[in-house]
DNA sequence: CAAACTCCCTGTTAGC
DNA sequence: TGCTAACAGGGAGTTT
């Protein structure tokens, strides 16, 4: 599941192949992946555009394009691509057979193609002139210098609910998904059900440190491959995610899996014991 | 604001 | 062995 590190890896992989290319045509094989605008306007604004930049914001891959529509002045457009659950972006030569799961294909001017591959069709494509249309409600970038411990603490103030749920909220902090939420909390030794407003200063501090530590390690390893993607260098090594019943890598206690906000959460009941699970008298 | 629920999808897996 | 139903998961949207 592509989260910030996987998306960042895709961007780094694609950048040099896409910058400078011109979009000649686009094939929308699964129209519902186009979230905005409609097909007609999308094609009109996209086709003929030349790619100036490829970058990441939250879990979005953003392609900056310049296009002169109908001989008018050049305009800048932003193509936002969200991989959601099963999406991936690949650049292939036109003569390489297309995969049945290639849902949207962009034809480029050097006979290569940008292919949005997505088994489950959850991926989304948005083309806008004003990037704020997409980014306005996104929380801070966890890897930016501006995301200081103070900023984090401020944002946590008065927030109710489990910390895990909050970490998943893109309007609170962007880029974190289920895998890295669990991994981050494990590293910081915080129980996923711990109420956000009850986090102690030391916990906020260690969580704030754990977030970039985990994300950067994953980026270095080009993400986690839970699925069947082939990732060189060996993928990020999960500490808790999907490891229910297996020994904690710190203390050997079996990892537990519970559901928080309709989402699975994995944690070590010993290392992350912070949220005393309703003390019950042990009978003798 | 918070939490629960629905929807979109399909490969995988548990259960029969 | 073969089939079906449940499940997973991101995030937008709706309801409570």
């Amino acid at each position: 599941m592509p989260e910030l590190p996987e998306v960042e890896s895709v961007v780094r992989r694609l950048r040099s192949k896409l910058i400078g290319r011109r979009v000649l045509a686009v094939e929308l094989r699964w129209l519902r992946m186009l979230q905005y605008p409609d097909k007609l306007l999308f094609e009109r604004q996209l086709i003929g555009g030349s790619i100036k930049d490829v970058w990441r914001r939250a879990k979005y891959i953003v392609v900056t394009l310049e296009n002169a529509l109908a001989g008018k002045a050049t305009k800048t457009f932003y193509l936002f691509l969200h991989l959601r659950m099963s999406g991936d972006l690949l650049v292939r030569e036109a003569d390489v057979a297309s995969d049945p799961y290639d849902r949207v294909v962009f034809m480029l001017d050097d006979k290569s193609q940008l292919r949005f591959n997505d088994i489950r069709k959850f991926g989304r494509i948005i083309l806008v002139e004003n990037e704020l249309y997409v980014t306005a409600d996104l929380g801070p970038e966890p890897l930016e210098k501006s995301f200081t411990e103070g900023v984090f603490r401020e944002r946590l103030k008065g927030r109710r609910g489990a910390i895990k749920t909050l970490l998943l909220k893109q309007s609170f902090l962007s880029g974190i998904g289920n895998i890295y939420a669990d991994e981050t909390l494990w590293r910081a030794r915080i129980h996923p059900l711990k109420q956000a407003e009850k986090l102690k200063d030391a916990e906020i501090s260690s969580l704030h440190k754990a977030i970039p530590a985990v994300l950067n390690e994953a980026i270095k390893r080009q993400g986690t491959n839970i699925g069947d993607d082939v990732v060189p260098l060996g993928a990020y090594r999960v500490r808790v995610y999907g490891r229910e019943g297996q020994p904690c890598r710190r203390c050997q206690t079996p990892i537990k899996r519970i559901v928080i906000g309709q989402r699975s959460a994995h944690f070590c009941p010993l290392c992350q014991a912070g949220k005393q699970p309703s003390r019950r008298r042990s009978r003798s």
Side-chain angles (χ1 to χ4, degrees), chain A residues 59-61 63 79-83 89 106 116 124-125:
Chain A
K59 298 178 197 170
Y60 288 98
I61 293 143
V63 179
L79 178 67
F80 282 81
L81 305 164
H82 198 301
L83 305 177
L89 288 173
F106 303 83
F116 193 153
R124 288 294 176 265
I125 297 175

Side-chain angles (χ1 to χ4, degrees), chain A residues 140-142 144-157 172-173 199-212:
Chain A
E141 280 290 324
E144 292 280 302
K145 282 200 179 71
S146 55
F147 180 60
T148 61
E149 192 179 313
V151 167
F152 190 40
R153 180 172 293 112
E154 273 309 304
R155 293 184 72 81
L156 281 166
K157 268 191 188 144
F172 174 73
L173 182 62
L199 285 170
K200 299 193 173 72
D201 276 5
E203 291 176 312
I204 294 174
S205 179
S206 69
L207 183 53
H208 177 261
K209 285 183 179 66
I211 290 168

Side-chain angles (χ1 to χ4, degrees), chain A residues 225-281:
Chain A
N225 63 345
I226 298 289
D228 46 17
D229 284 325
V230 180
V231 177
L233 305 179
Y236 171 86
R237 180 193 192 221
V238 289
R239 310 299 200 282
V240 282
Y241 186 83
R243 297 191 66 244
E244 180 182 19
Q246 295 175 54
C248 170
R249 298 200 202 273
R250 275 193 302 245
C251 73
Q252 317 309 317
T253 303
I255 298 302
K256 279 189 78 169
R257 175 184 179 278
I258 58 176
V259 173
I260 304 174
Q262 293 85 239
R263 200 129 269 164
S264 69
H266 312 76
F267 66 102
C268 170
L270 184 59
C271 290
Q272 299 167 261
K275 151 99 175 100
Q276 317 286 18
S278 67
R279 180 139 329 158
R280 206 182 295 124
R281 166 195 319 277

Side-chain angles (χ1 to χ4, degrees), chain A residues 14-30:
Chain A
L14 298 182
R15 259 180 79 80
S16 64
K17 295 179 182 177
L18 294 182
I19 292 177
R21 298 276 65 73
R22 190 174 286 273
V23 180
L24 299 183
V26 61
E27 214 174 289
L28 293 157
R29 299 179 187 173
W30 192 258

Side-chain angles (χ1 to χ4, degrees), chain A residues 42-109:
Chain A
F42 178 74
E43 290 175 341
R44 189 185 305 155
Q45 295 182 329
L46 180 75
I47 293 171
S50 68
I51 298 172
K52 297 298 171 187
D53 200 5
V54 181
W55 45 290
R56 181 190 61 74
R57 174 73 175 96
K59 298 178 197 170
Y60 288 98
I61 293 143
V62 193
V63 179
T64 305
L65 296 129
E66 284 184 359
N67 204 356
L69 273 53
K72 297 209 179 94
T74 299
K75 276 187 175 179
T76 300
F77 294 94
Y78 298 95
L79 178 67
F80 282 81
L81 305 164
H82 198 301
L83 305 177
R84 292 283 182 97
M85 289 293 298
S86 55
D88 196 9
L89 288 173
L90 305 158
V91 174
R92 290 285 122 93
E93 295 305 308
D95 56 12
V96 174
S98 186
D99 182 287
Y101 301 126
D102 288 338
R103 308 298 185 186
V104 177
V105 180
F106 303 83
M107 318 297 171
L108 306 178
D109 61 355

Side-chain angles (χ1 to χ4, degrees), chain A residues 147 152-153 155-157 159-169 172-173 176-178 180-182 184-186 188-200 203-208 211 260-261 265 267 272 274-275:
Chain A
F147 180 60
F152 190 40
R153 180 172 293 112
R155 293 184 72 81
L156 281 166
K157 268 191 188 144
R159 297 305 295 253
R160 312 182 142 270
I163 182 61
K164 160 95 194 246
T165 307
L166 205 50
L167 287 178
L168 290 175
K169 199 163 285 202
F172 174 73
L173 182 62
I176 308 238
N178 212 29
Y180 296 111
D182 283 358
T184 296
L185 289 168
W186 178 84
R189 301 178 189 244
I190 296 170
H191 194 292
L193 278 176
K194 179 97 184 187
Q195 294 296 298
E197 60 184 351
K198 288 188 179 168
L199 285 170
K200 299 193 173 72
E203 291 176 312
I204 294 174
S205 179
S206 69
L207 183 53
H208 177 261
I211 290 168
I260 304 174
F267 66 102
Q272 299 167 261
K275 151 99 175 100

